[in-house]
């Protein structure tokens, strides 16, 4: 069968030769009056679409699927401006989609799926404003397939079916995806499975009431919570299974990447396998996780794991390490935290713990352990290290954890702070109170430009008070219960925010002179100064109404420090029932007891602290 003389059939409008064994299209261009040409499921033996097809300007339907065609789609396709239906699927067509396809303004159906088409999605597809179905899937092809970012198709208001599965589309789903759709009240199908999409499924899709969306087998990390309550989505499956009907959670899998029945739930991966993203269709073996498991096993054995207070699931061969008690993982894959405080660990911490590549939080407080910081430079992501009450005697080497933002070494046996700590330039919170640290306050603390919180109380620090005038981020200082002398610098926290909440505790030191007027720069200050050698409070401070939680508004200067010749267990007045009481022996402001001395240390300070804590508790209860 050939098309010789077909031009004589002047009134030929429809030509349907589906599955008839035709092997050539030669001469078909003479049928200029055709509106429908259906030559699907034939065998054109690797021939290309001849240019003469593009001369049949009145074509409204061109159906050539499954016919062994090769070559590329010519730019001349843009001449077929009357087309409503173009189907070229299941051929061997290669090359990219020509931009000229955007001229086909009347197109309702475009099916180019299962070919060897490459390149990116042309932006001119957004000009096909009458499109109802767009099919560009590529599940059966190993070579080619579409790549690049996903278009938002924001102008395709009539679209009811979009299939782009099996391609190499990258990036996130645009926040404006299908934003102009007029089909939000009817069923719409979007198939994006098995691409390389990332990020979050956007909340804007909640505009659709009956969406069926398949985005499984990608690299999706989150689904907007709004979508998980769209009960009519996924043919009603969201009503039954919530988010799992859209995508299985991270760390789980399902043959289909989502739950569609009670018999097909999202299942957790086995101990050495991972499902790093939502919508996984299988779990994969992760060599890195095998290494991390070995590190944790060594940690458990070295630190007497069998005697820990909490060790659920540890060493279980059939339980993922991310499910071991006190362990958490990033995206169900790599260990990012070990939270094992007060857990009866007893050991020298194995240095390989610092080889965990994603470790961000290591909390081992209140355990009788020793830590050697010789191998910590490998912990390139460690942010929070909590080692209070562990018996720590040295911080040598800890400066090599360059990523640290929080360091807590309170209640230990430290006597010095190495100057190398100044290398921890990312540090935001440093707590070393209740140690045995001597000497003056280290000047390098001012070089920690990101420091926001400093706790150094209950040590043996002496000398003058460092002004921290260069510490622009510092908002909280505790230097109480030391032996700091001299006056309070006018430049104290000079560069800190004037409108933020600021906390300063200098109580139980040997500071003298006047509480400086310069502190009035802070509108919201909590200031503790009891039990020093202070004699005056700058008068303008006594009108700072927001200071000390409003106590200055209620009690004036007494809300900062009790006057000379008086005392209060808190060193200041905090309520009507506990005023500053007369005591002629007291020579300084802010005394917490009636005594001729002013500086209270040792066991007296401990007992007073207990009394103050009790008083504060009673205040809160009242």
């Amino acid at each position: 069968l050939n098309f010789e003389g077909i031009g004589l059939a002047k009134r030929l409008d429809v030509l349907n030769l589906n599955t008839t064994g035709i092997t050539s299209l030669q001469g078909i261009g003479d049928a200029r009056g055709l509106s429908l040409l259906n030559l699907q499921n034939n065998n054109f033996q690797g021939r290309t679409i001849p240019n003469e097809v593009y001369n049949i300007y009145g074509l409204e339907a061109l159906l050539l699927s499954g016919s062994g065609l090769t070559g590329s789609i010519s730019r001349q396709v843009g001449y077929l401006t009357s087309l409503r239906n173009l189907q070229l699927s299941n051929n061997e067509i290669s090359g990219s989609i020509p931009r000229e396809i955007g001229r086909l303004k009347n197109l309702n159906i475009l099916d180019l799926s299962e070919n060897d088409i490459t390149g990116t999605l042309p932006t001119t597809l957004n000009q096909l404003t009458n499109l109802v179905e767009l099919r560009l899937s590529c599940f059966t092809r190993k070579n080619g397939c579409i790549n690049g970012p996903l278009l938002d198709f924001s102008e395709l208001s009539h679209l009811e079916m979009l299939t782009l599965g099996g391609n190499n589309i990258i990036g996130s789903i645009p926040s404006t995806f299908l934003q102009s759709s007029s089909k939000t009240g009817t069923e719409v199908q979007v198939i994006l499975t098995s691409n390389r999409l990332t990020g979050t499924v956007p909340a804007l899709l909640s505009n659709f009431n009956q969406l069926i969306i398949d985005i499984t087998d990608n690299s999706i990390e989150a689904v907007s919570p709004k979508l998980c309550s769209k009960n009519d989505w996924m043919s009603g499956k969201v009503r039954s299974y919530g988010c799992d009907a859209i995508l299985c959670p991270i760390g789980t899998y399902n043959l289909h990447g989502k739950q569609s029945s009670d018999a097909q739930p999202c299942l957790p991966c086995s101990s050495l396998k991972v499902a790093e993203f939502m919508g996984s269709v299988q779990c994969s073996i992760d060599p890195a996780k095998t290494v991390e498991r070995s590190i944790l096993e060594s940690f458990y054995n070295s630190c007497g794991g069998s005697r820990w207070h909490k060790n659920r699931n540890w060493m279980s061969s059939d339980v993922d390490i991310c499910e071991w008690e006190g362990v958490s993982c990033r995206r169900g894959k790599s260990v990012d935290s070990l939270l094992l405080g007060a857990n009866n660990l007893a050991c020298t911490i194995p240095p390989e713990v610092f080889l965990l590549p994603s470790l961000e939080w290591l909390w081992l407080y209140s355990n009788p352990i020793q830590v050697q910081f010789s191998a910590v430079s490998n912990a390139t992501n460690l942010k929070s290290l909590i080692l209070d009450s562990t018996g720590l005697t040295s911080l040598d080497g800890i400066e090599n954890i360059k990523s640290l933002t929080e360091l807590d070494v309170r209640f230990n046996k430290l006597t010095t702070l190495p100057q190398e700590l100044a290398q921890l330039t990312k540090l935001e919170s440093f707590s070393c109170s209740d140690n045995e640290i001597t000497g003056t306050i280290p000047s390098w603390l001012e070089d920690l430009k990101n420091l926001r919180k400093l706790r150094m109380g209950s040590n043996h620090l002496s000398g003058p008070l460092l002004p921290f005038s260069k510490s622009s981020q510092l908002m909280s200082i505790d230097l109480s219960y030391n032996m700091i002398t001299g006056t309070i610098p006018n430049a104290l926290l000079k560069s800190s925010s004037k409108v933020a909440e600021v906390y300063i505790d200098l109580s139980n030191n040997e500071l003298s002179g006047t509480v400086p007027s310069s502190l009035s720069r802070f509108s919201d200050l909590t200031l503790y100064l009891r039990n020093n050698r202070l004699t005056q409070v700058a008068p303008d401070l006594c009108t700072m109404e927001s200071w000390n939680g409003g106590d200055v508004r209620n009690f004036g200067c007494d809300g900062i420090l009790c006057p000379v010749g008086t005392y209060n267990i808190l060193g200041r007045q905090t309520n009507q029932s506990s005023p500053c009481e007369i005591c002629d022996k007291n020579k300084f402001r802010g005394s917490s007891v009636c005594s001729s001395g002013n500086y209270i240390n040792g066991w007296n300070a401990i007992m007073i602290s207990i009394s103050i804590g009790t008083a504060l508790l009673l205040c809160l209860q009242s």
Side-chain angles (χ1 to χ4, degrees):
L1 179 65
N2 59 60
F3 299 109
E4 185 178 352
I6 195 172
L8 298 174
K10 301 296 185 182
R11 296 184 179 181
L12 184 62
D13 179 55
V14 174
L15 183 59
N16 188 344
L17 296 173
N18 188 347
T19 320
T20 56
I22 295 175
T23 59
S24 173
L25 285 169
Q26 186 175 354
I28 192 64
D30 293 332
R32 298 296 179 89
L34 284 178
S35 62
L36 185 151
L37 177 59
N38 183 357
L39 297 174
Q40 295 186 115
N41 302 312
N42 285 291
N43 183 7
F44 294 115
Q45 301 176 347
R47 293 182 174 88
T48 62
I49 302 173
N51 286 337
E52 58 185 297
V53 169
Y54 303 120
N55 294 327
I56 310 175
Y57 302 129
L59 269 179
E60 296 181 9
L62 176 59
L63 313 178
L64 297 174
S65 296
S67 295
L69 292 165
T70 62
S72 61
I73 302 172
S74 171
R75 296 170 60 183
Q76 296 182 51
V77 71
Y79 297 153
L80 302 178
T81 55
S82 296
L83 270 182
R84 297 180 182 275
N85 189 349
L86 176 58
Q87 299 188 36
L88 304 175
S89 64
N90 291 289
N91 285 292
E92 307 298 326
I93 296 172
S94 58
S96 60
I97 302 172
R99 291 180 52 82
E100 287 73 13
I101 206 158
R103 297 177 182 173
L104 310 184
K105 308 292 188 182
N106 295 306
L107 209 56
N108 300 135
I109 298 173
L110 175 59
D111 189 353
L112 306 179
S113 57
E114 307 309 325
N115 279 287
D116 292 323
I117 293 173
T118 58
T120 60
L121 294 167
T123 57
T124 52
L125 286 172
N126 246 337
Q127 298 173 16
L128 304 179
T129 54
N130 287 299
L131 208 57
V132 176
E133 295 184 17
L134 176 58
R135 300 175 184 266
L136 297 171
S137 62
C138 191
F139 291 110
T140 61
R141 307 303 163 118
K142 295 182 179 180
N143 300 319
C145 296
I146 294 167
N147 54 50
L150 179 64
L151 296 182
D152 64 4
F153 300 109
S154 58
E155 303 302 319
L156 307 189
S157 61
H158 302 291
L159 201 62
E160 298 177 3
M161 168 69 74
L162 173 64
T163 65
L164 284 164
N167 285 286
N168 291 310
I169 298 173
I170 61 173
S172 59
I173 301 173
S175 60
T176 53
F177 188 64
L178 300 177
Q179 69 174 0
S180 299
S181 177
S182 63
K183 304 295 181 179
T184 55
T186 59
E187 184 175 284
V188 175
Q189 295 188 41
V190 176
I191 310 300
L192 299 172
T193 187
S194 300
N195 278 282
R196 292 158 55 194
L197 293 167
T198 59
T200 299
V201 184
L204 183 67
L205 291 176
S206 63
N207 292 336
F208 291 92
N209 294 325
Q210 299 182 52
L211 186 64
I212 297 175
I213 183 168
D214 191 345
I215 43 176
T216 59
D217 195 25
N218 278 284
S219 299
I220 300 294
E221 298 175 342
V223 173
S224 173
K226 293 179 66 174
L227 308 184
C228 301
S229 59
K230 302 295 293 185
N231 290 339
D232 293 329
W233 273 32
M234 313 302 285
S235 301
K237 298 297 190 298
V238 172
R239 178 182 293 106
S240 301
Y241 308 116
C243 278
D244 287 9
I246 302 172
L247 289 173
C248 284
I250 290 172
T252 69
Y253 77 103
N254 178 296
L255 182 61
H256 305 291
K258 58 184 182 296
Q259 185 172 3
S260 57
S261 70
D262 293 341
Q264 294 180 319
C266 298
L267 301 171
C269 296
S270 60
S271 60
L272 294 180
K273 293 186 176 182
V274 295
E276 190 173 359
F277 301 104
M278 299 188 75
S280 295
V281 296
Q282 62 182 359
C283 299
S284 57
I285 295 176
D286 183 7
K289 202 162 196 177
T290 303
V291 172
E292 293 191 17
R293 184 185 184 95
S294 177
I295 291 173
L296 293 183
E297 288 175 345
S298 172
F299 178 68
Y300 180 89
N301 290 326
S302 298
C303 295
S306 62
R307 298 185 296 276
W308 293 356
H309 300 315
K310 299 177 181 179
N311 58 7
R312 179 174 49 84
N313 292 335
W314 278 76
M315 309 301 281
S316 298
S317 59
D318 58 343
V319 178
D320 192 315
I321 59 174
C322 300
E323 300 299 323
W324 291 6
E325 193 164 14
V327 178
S328 67
C329 297
R330 178 184 299 168
R331 295 197 297 269
K333 183 180 180 183
S334 187
V335 174
D336 64 8
S337 67
L338 288 176
L339 309 181
L340 296 168
N343 201 35
N344 200 36
L345 278 70
C347 63
T348 297
I349 300 300
E352 53 264 34
V353 167
F354 296 105
L355 295 175
L356 293 168
S358 299
L359 188 63
E360 295 186 29
W361 296 276
L362 181 59
W363 295 4
L364 301 176
Y365 59 87
S366 301
N367 288 295
I369 59 175
Q370 296 183 29
V371 184
Q372 304 294 330
F373 298 111
S374 56
V376 296
S377 59
N378 295 300
T380 55
N381 291 302
L382 187 58
K383 295 179 180 179
S384 177
L385 181 60
I386 310 297
L387 296 173
D388 55 295
S389 301
T390 57
L392 201 63
T393 59
S394 173
L395 295 178
D396 290 345
I398 202 170
E399 69 274 4
N400 293 313
I401 312 179
K402 305 297 186 186
S403 54
L404 269 186
T405 61
E406 179 183 26
L407 176 60
D408 190 336
V409 290
R410 294 172 298 152
F411 301 100
N412 281 300
K413 301 177 182 178
L414 300 172
T415 57
T416 60
L417 295 177
Q419 185 171 353
E420 288 77 10
L421 289 178
Q423 298 175 28
L424 300 178
T425 56
K426 295 183 179 180
L427 205 61
E428 297 176 8
S429 174
F430 179 39
S431 301
C432 61
S433 58
D434 296 276
N435 276 278
E436 301 167 12
I437 301 169
T438 60
T440 58
I441 302 171
S443 60
W444 52 259
L445 285 168
E446 286 197 304
D447 296 327
L448 300 177
K449 302 301 184 185
N450 291 297
L451 193 65
R452 301 180 62 85
K453 182 177 182 180
L454 178 64
R455 301 168 73 182
M456 300 183 71
S458 299
N459 279 288
H460 304 302
L461 295 168
S462 58
L465 176 61
L466 193 70
F468 298 100
S469 58
K470 298 186 294 183
S471 304
S472 61
Q473 302 299 313
L474 192 57
M475 300 297 168
S476 177
I477 301 177
D478 181 359
L479 289 165
S480 60
Y481 292 94
N482 280 287
M483 295 176 287
I484 301 170
T485 57
T487 60
I488 299 174
N490 287 324
L492 183 63
L493 296 182
K494 178 181 179 180
S495 300
S496 298
S497 172
K498 299 176 182 179
V499 295
E501 295 182 11
V502 177
Y503 176 96
I504 301 174
D505 189 351
L506 301 174
S507 57
N508 292 83
N509 278 283
E510 296 184 359
L511 293 165
S512 57
T514 300
V515 184
S517 173
S518 58
L519 290 178
S520 64
R521 73 172 71 94
F522 300 115
S523 59
D524 190 353
L525 176 64
T526 298
L527 181 63
Y528 295 153
L529 295 170
R530 65 180 176 273
N531 296 329
N532 278 281
R533 295 178 179 271
L534 298 165
T535 55
Q536 297 290 331
V537 175
D540 55 338
L541 303 185
C542 303
T543 61
M544 303 300 294
E545 294 191 351
S546 295
W547 277 27
N548 286 348
D551 290 342
V552 177
R553 177 194 306 114
N554 297 326
F555 309 114
C557 285
D558 289 7
I560 300 174
L561 286 174
C562 284
V564 173
T566 68
Y567 78 101
N568 182 294
I569 195 170
L570 299 177
R572 62 187 183 89
Q573 185 171 0
T574 60
N575 59 61
Q576 294 288 353
S577 60
S578 297
C580 298
E581 300 184 36
I582 300 297
C583 176
D584 294 334
K585 299 178 182 179
N586 288 341
K587 306 300 182 184
F588 304 108
R589 299 196 68 130
S591 295
S592 63
V593 294
C594 186
S595 170
S596 58
N598 75 294
Y599 178 67
I600 302 170
N601 57 17
W603 288 105
N604 288 332
I606 295 173
M607 296 307 296
I608 290 172
S609 294
I610 293 172
S611 300
I612 290 171
T614 303
L616 286 172
L617 181 60
L618 291 173
C619 289
L620 290 173
Q621 289 176 341
S622 63

